[in-house]
Amino acid sequence: MRARALVAGGLAAVLLTGCAQSVDPIERLGKKAAQRVGSYGPEGPSGADGRPYRHWGLPAPLQAPPRVAARAAVRRGGLPPVVRRVGTSDKVVFLTYDDGAERDPRFVDMVRELRLPVSMFLTDSVGGPGYGHFARLQSVGASIQNHTLDHPALRGLPYPGQRAEICGQQEKVRSRFGIRPRLFRPPYGTYDRTTLRAAADCGLSAVVLWSVSPAGGAPERPLRAGDIVSVASGEATGPTLTERTTRVLREIERRGLTVGRLEDYL
């Protein structure tokens, strides 16, 4: 009787565990990606000569960015600064991604293996269904930042509407990722003084635009130190997000630059 009870108890535990598994296909893809990452040795995936940069199509390893102390953005008149490029002599550029529409599982592997300090500006109505994917990105070093709840063009909207969009996403990110973003990117890059006031009231320290937006992964001009690169996401056709990032990284290396962490400079 005791043995029969133990078997029944074990079966019940298995059934309960099975019921707790995620049915989200993005979650399942992410788990498979994590398993692949976990199976690699400390130097990266097998079959790539133990060198992760080759696995991702780079001719050489990325240089380590300089160590810098995190800096606070300087407010003017109580409003957060608007930043298109970072004023720095360090040979770094910054990789940013918007919305959260594209959830390429390989991108998690890439960020982890190359130790890319990328910044993800998320919109709840776009990225929300796949927040599990972005939690995995956060766990391998990506930062999560604010891009509004519903991606409206903010310029010209009344203060209550702008505040609701910005503060609402602050709370969504806090509840899902356990952090409150410091950086805000307005949809389409459009903003007004009301946007800056709402961002300040929501606890954001800088409004981040961009200086380069590569088309298909190819920058429209040579990259320079301090550039903030907005890598397009959500494209239905053409190269994947991982492939577009590889193209940008090759250009970064050609220019003798590397990737810095944007949050350390703002």
Side-chain angles (χ1 to χ4, degrees):
M1 288 296 291
R2 178 175 175 78
R4 196 174 294 171
L6 287 172
V7 170
L11 179 60
V14 169
L15 291 172
L16 286 172
T17 301
C19 291
Q21 290 178 347
S22 169
V23 295
D24 179 3
I26 294 294
E27 292 284 350
R28 288 198 295 270
L29 285 171
K31 287 178 180 177
K32 290 179 181 178
Q35 288 167 358
R36 289 198 302 274
V37 170
S39 66
Y40 301 153
E43 297 302 321
S46 58
D49 294 333
R51 285 174 268 196
Y53 67 89
R54 287 191 175 177
H55 176 69
W56 298 108
L58 300 182
L62 284 164
Q63 300 174 38
R67 292 178 178 267
V68 296
R71 308 168 193 175
V74 178
R75 292 176 179 248
R76 293 176 175 82
L79 299 179
V82 178
V83 183
R84 297 177 186 273
R85 293 184 71 247
V86 173
T88 179
S89 59
D90 293 343
K91 293 184 176 182
V92 295
V93 297
F94 308 95
L95 296 185
T96 66
Y97 300 78
D98 289 357
D99 306 335
E102 190 171 351
R103 298 184 279 276
D104 180 356
R106 293 189 72 234
F107 188 63
V108 180
D109 294 7
M110 175 184 243
V111 170
R112 178 184 183 275
E113 291 167 17
L114 296 179
R115 299 176 182 174
L116 290 178
V118 299
S119 301
M120 315 299 296
F121 288 85
L122 299 185
T123 295
D124 183 67
S125 61
V126 179
Y131 273 165
H133 170 81
F134 296 103
R136 288 187 287 279
L137 273 170
Q138 182 190 32
S139 74
V140 297
S143 78
I144 306 298
Q145 305 297 340
N146 189 325
H147 197 44
T148 72
L149 283 173
D150 298 307
H151 209 271
L154 294 175
R155 185 169 59 199
L157 293 181
Y159 174 80
Q162 295 207 37
R163 180 187 172 97
E165 281 287 338
I166 299 170
C167 287
Q169 182 63 348
Q170 285 289 91
E171 289 306 311
K172 286 281 188 179
V173 171
R174 182 197 61 77
S175 64
R176 183 61 184 83
F177 299 96
I179 54 101
R180 290 181 66 85
R182 291 196 305 107
L183 307 180
F184 172 64
R185 173 168 285 169
Y188 314 108
T190 64
Y191 67 95
D192 55 20
R193 188 174 178 82
T194 301
T195 310
L196 303 184
R197 184 158 65 94
D201 292 346
C202 295
L204 290 148
S205 60
V207 173
V208 179
L209 303 182
W210 59 90
S211 54
V212 178
S213 182
E220 65 270 28
R221 63 160 175 78
L223 293 175
R224 301 192 298 264
D227 273 334
I228 298 174
V229 182
S230 176
V231 182
S233 62
E235 296 183 4
T237 60
T240 66
L241 187 63
T242 301
E243 291 166 342
R244 293 196 298 277
T245 300
T246 294
R247 292 179 182 180
V248 176
L249 292 175
R250 287 173 182 162
E251 178 63 16
I252 288 170
E253 290 193 325
R254 274 196 293 269
R255 298 292 166 184
L257 302 167
T258 193
V259 182
R261 183 174 297 281
L262 183 60
E263 294 71 23
D264 289 345
Y265 287 79
L266 296 179

